[in-house]
Amino acid sequence: MLASVLSILLIACGPESGNDQNTPPPQLGKDFTVRVATPQLVVPDGASETKLVVDFEVFDASGRAYEFDATKDFRIAVLKAMPQRSGGGRDGNTFWKSFHHSSNDATNRASMENVWTAGGELLKTESGYTYTFAIADILNVADPYPADSVDNGGMIAWDEDKLHRIVMAYGDQELGFTYVYQWIPGTPSDQTVSRNVIEEETCSNCHMGEPLHHGPGYRSIDNNIAVCTSCHNDSNPGAAPRRRPLAAIVHQYHGNVYALGSSSSDPTTYKQPVDSNGALVTDINGLVMEGNPFPQDARNCTTCHSQDVTKASDANNWFEHPSQVACESCHLYRDRGAHHNEVGFTWDRETCTGCHRPYERDENGDPIIGMDASRSARTVHLGRLDNLAAARDTLLVSIKQARFVDSMFEVDVIIQKDGVGISALSEITPFINEHDHVNLLLNWDNGEGPMLANNGLDLSTCTAQGNGLFTCQKDFTGAMLLPTATSTLTVNVADMPLCADRTTGELADCSTFTGIDNLKYPYVIAAKNAKGTFDVGGITTPHTLPVGAEVTSCNNCHKELTIHKLGAHPHAATDLQQCKNCHNSERSAYYAGMAADLKYHVHSFHAFGSAHVGESVFPGAINNCEACHGSGQYNLPSQKNTRPSLASGKYFSPALVACGACHIESPLANADPDTIPGDAVLDHMIKNGAVFAADTAVEATGKEQCATCHAIGQEQGVDKVHKVYEYR
């Protein structure tokens, strides 16, 4: 018997056991360490050409020397930082000059060379690797934009006093790395510049380390913008619009709201505003509005530009050196001052800083650093937002009291303008975008969340009592639901998008705005939410709505959360209470099969886009629960929003609603696991207690067993299957 046991133990430890302790552990993703020695110019024996050679080491996550896999993408590039060009509408910006272009043609593009196929040589050495660039002669590289190299016979000069950069990109998102090495070959001079404009962490607030674009391969490893700018730079302006600088791409993607030409084979319309027939737009009447995926006001420049020069040496570049390249990307239609009725890339000024200089000047004409000029890029973006906020703050709404008496929901509300109570609602309605949108939301909570959905009260039906006080009533006689003696009444603002003069910081009559303002609505700002909670007798009662997300987390992307600011029915909600009083368990969505409850609505929108169709524009990792939720808000069983939800008139159990929003392909009530592969998980949910399409909320309550396997800490816990720890 003992011999048998020993035999089994020996087998378990033997070479066939799979437990061989000499087997190296698996490599850990992208946790690589790269060390680069100063690159050298080398003339090989017997040759006349000069080669660029770089020695480097690469270590995996366990600290061992890494051996490259030739089946994986490996790209490398060398660039140098150049001072600003003069004239041509691009004045004021440094730029990266690439030594790699697809050819010497005037329209050809910057690129990265393929380590395996471009003709370079990668050698394994005792201390790491040596790479000799494929560039035939680093001192004789033809410039596809020869105006930059007039002093060197049209060849890109190897400037010893310029900042140079080598960019490496190896592998893919699962296993790979990107690395940037910068050096000045000789002695710095007044021509030595840098171009370190963006602090990468600001991108991660929304993108969460996810690749920004492209894929698969080296372009999808991470969100290292140095890899992006290796190709997307201003090295050859003639390459645009087919290959544009990163500044143009990012600003346009985040700021443009017009339909654009999409065929790169047609340079007359590509990335230019087009009408509904795809023809180039010539004036405001042809513009087609499409919106953009940026989840906040595009004037929030500091969402991406940190202004902290300790984190990005050129952080102030965006307002100290505004340029056509960046500005035109958002301002594809212009109808102001010097740019009246200009469309697309056509500009009639050669420099932006002539009008949009960053700082005011003293009597000698020298800039006063820190004193922004009235038309600086910072003033006309962040300053305008500050002015809108100042205008908004001149209007104050407060809920003085609410009570429920004899089937009547009664509310006392005070409205002040510039600190003085108004005597009639007509004093503020001209400032409200769509004048009839002045509403309160009435509700009550019996301990599990709002009992009603979309229960509005039009303030125009209220009675003015003087000094800004208005008394309002809503009759609930005959209603199926009424508050109980222990209910908490809740009241908040529902609809109040305000119009304001963004230069003076004062509320303005909405009817005075014309032209482009009515396309982008840059003069609209949401009123602050006013809310109050009371017992049924009218005594103020502390209350917190059971919402499973944090506004502070939402604002990592949304900055100042504003939902439904524009459109046919603007609400301008800025508070989750406003959202929850419409989007709760008692409301089906307008769209077939969908629940309007926030736990479905928000998950569905971020995973599948509007109406649960198509792809989401969510910029980060959809499995990163803690992007929106606190660590205690996404556990199972459901922690906050615990009631079954309505969809298409039926009730669905809470975890099914929240999880099904992402994990079921079809809209919730339309799920068909027998014929739609993306709905197959529904069978698993139902077998473990989920309730699908019950007639009453009671029938859909208390049966789910999801927490048995999926509670935090379990082998298949929501924390593990969503890999939330990778994003902390």
Side-chain angles (χ1 to χ4, degrees), residues 706-724:
C706 311
T708 303
C709 296
H710 297 299
I712 288 176
Q714 299 292 350
E715 186 64 27
Q716 296 297 319
V718 289
D719 53 335
K720 292 181 180 178
V721 297
H722 289 101
K723 302 180 180 179
V724 297

Side-chain angles (χ1 to χ4, degrees), residues 342-359:
E342 289 183 357
V343 184
F345 300 163
T346 303
W347 293 69
D348 62 4
R349 295 292 185 275
E350 288 195 350
T351 176
C352 298
T353 52
C355 295
H356 298 285
R357 63 176 182 266
Y359 304 114

Side-chain angles (χ1 to χ4, degrees), residues 498-564:
L498 303 173
C499 302
D501 187 319
R502 55 194 185 276
T503 60
T504 65
E506 298 175 341
L507 293 178
D509 190 325
C510 298
S511 65
T512 62
F513 295 95
T514 60
I516 194 174
D517 284 336
N518 288 326
L519 294 180
K520 289 188 175 182
Y521 294 92
Y523 58 87
V524 176
I525 187 169
K528 285 185 174 178
N529 182 32
K531 53 188 175 182
T533 56
F534 310 88
D535 67 17
V536 292
I539 297 175
T540 300
T541 302
H543 176 261
T544 301
L545 273 176
V547 177
E550 304 288 349
V551 167
T552 52
S553 298
C554 301
N555 284 339
N556 284 336
C557 281
H558 291 279
K559 198 77 171 186
E560 293 182 358
L561 180 69
T562 302
I563 305 297
H564 299 308

Side-chain angles (χ1 to χ4, degrees), residues 90-149:
R90 298 169 181 270
D91 185 50
N93 258 303
T94 56
F95 64 97
W96 287 109
K97 171 63 72 173
S98 177
F99 284 80
H100 311 264
H101 294 87
S102 50
S103 79
N104 295 332
D105 187 276
T107 63
N108 272 292
R109 306 177 290 278
S111 61
M112 301 181 76
E113 71 178 48
N114 189 319
V115 168
W116 311 123
T117 63
E121 185 178 35
L122 180 67
L123 295 177
K124 185 78 172 68
T125 66
E126 290 185 2
S127 59
Y129 290 92
T130 293
Y131 184 70
T132 302
F133 279 79
I135 299 169
D137 188 343
I138 195 69
L139 303 183
N140 287 282
V141 177
D143 194 335
Y145 192 69
D148 287 341
S149 302

Side-chain angles (χ1 to χ4, degrees), residues 269-586:
T269 61
Y270 186 55
K271 301 303 180 184
Q272 294 265 39
V274 293
D275 62 21
S276 56
N277 297 315
L280 189 67
V281 168
T282 57
D283 60 44
I284 191 172
N285 296 317
L287 293 170
V288 177
M289 295 287 290
E290 287 190 341
N292 69 63
F294 193 52
Q296 56 179 274
D297 196 302
R299 290 170 290 185
N300 278 316
C301 305
T302 50
T303 296
C304 301
H305 298 282
S306 73
Q307 302 185 97
D308 186 345
V309 295
T310 65
K311 296 180 178 179
S313 58
D314 304 293
N316 293 331
N317 181 81
W318 66 276
F319 71 89
E320 289 186 337
H321 304 288
S323 70
Q324 177 188 344
V325 170
C327 298
E328 71 187 3
S329 304
C330 293
H331 298 282
L332 281 170
Y333 175 75
R334 305 168 291 281
D335 72 343
R336 294 288 186 270
H339 300 291
H340 180 66
N341 199 41
E342 289 183 357
V343 184
F345 300 163
T346 303
W347 293 69
D348 62 4
R349 295 292 185 275
E350 288 195 350
T351 176
C352 298
T353 52
C355 295
H356 298 285
R357 63 176 182 266
Y359 304 114
E360 294 291 0
R361 296 171 180 168
D362 61 20
E363 62 274 11
N364 298 318
D366 296 322
I368 306 173
I369 305 300
M371 184 181 292
D372 286 7
S374 61
R375 287 189 288 179
S376 75
R378 184 158 55 187
T379 299
V380 298
H381 292 94
L382 297 180
R384 299 294 190 259
L385 292 178
D386 289 341
N387 290 341
L388 289 177
R392 173 201 63 201
D393 293 345
T394 64
L395 182 67
L396 178 64
V397 179
S398 54
I399 311 301
K400 183 179 180 182
Q401 190 186 59
R403 54 206 168 268
F404 200 89
V405 181
D406 297 331
S407 298
M408 197 71 71
F409 203 130
E410 300 177 349
V411 180
D412 297 335
V413 57
I414 296 175
I415 304 176
Q416 295 176 307
K417 171 74 170 63
D418 295 319
V420 179
I422 65 173
S423 58
L425 207 61
S426 58
E427 294 179 35
I428 65 168
T429 49
F431 309 137
I432 297 172
N433 192 34
E434 295 202 11
H435 296 172
D436 59 338
H437 280 266
V438 192
N439 301 305
L440 299 178
L441 285 174
L442 311 182
N443 221 318
W444 61 85
D445 187 347
N446 293 337
E448 294 184 316
M451 296 300 296
L452 304 177
N454 200 24
N455 183 42
L457 172 67
D458 188 343
L459 276 171
S460 66
T461 65
C462 301
T463 302
Q465 303 293 335
N467 295 322
L469 176 64
F470 292 79
T471 57
C472 315
Q473 293 182 328
K474 186 163 186 175
D475 192 349
F476 277 76
T477 301
M480 294 180 63
L481 285 176
L482 295 173
T484 68
T486 59
S487 296
T488 298
L489 306 181
T490 67
V491 182
N492 61 270
V493 169
D495 294 88
M496 205 172 289
L498 303 173
C499 302
D501 187 319
R502 55 194 185 276
T503 60
T504 65
E506 298 175 341
L507 293 178
D509 190 325
C510 298
S511 65
T512 62
F513 295 95
T514 60
I516 194 174
D517 284 336
N518 288 326
L519 294 180
K520 289 188 175 182
Y521 294 92
Y523 58 87
V524 176
I525 187 169
K528 285 185 174 178
N529 182 32
K531 53 188 175 182
T533 56
F534 310 88
D535 67 17
V536 292
I539 297 175
T540 300
T541 302
H543 176 261
T544 301
L545 273 176
V547 177
E550 304 288 349
V551 167
T552 52
S553 298
C554 301
N555 284 339
N556 284 336
C557 281
H558 291 279
K559 198 77 171 186
E560 293 182 358
L561 180 69
T562 302
I563 305 297
H564 299 308
K565 186 173 77 169
L566 307 175
H569 301 288
H571 305 313
T574 60
D575 189 305
L576 289 179
Q577 183 189 40
Q578 294 169 291
C579 306
K580 187 68 175 175
N581 272 312
C582 281
H583 291 278
N584 56 53
S585 60
E586 301 307 309

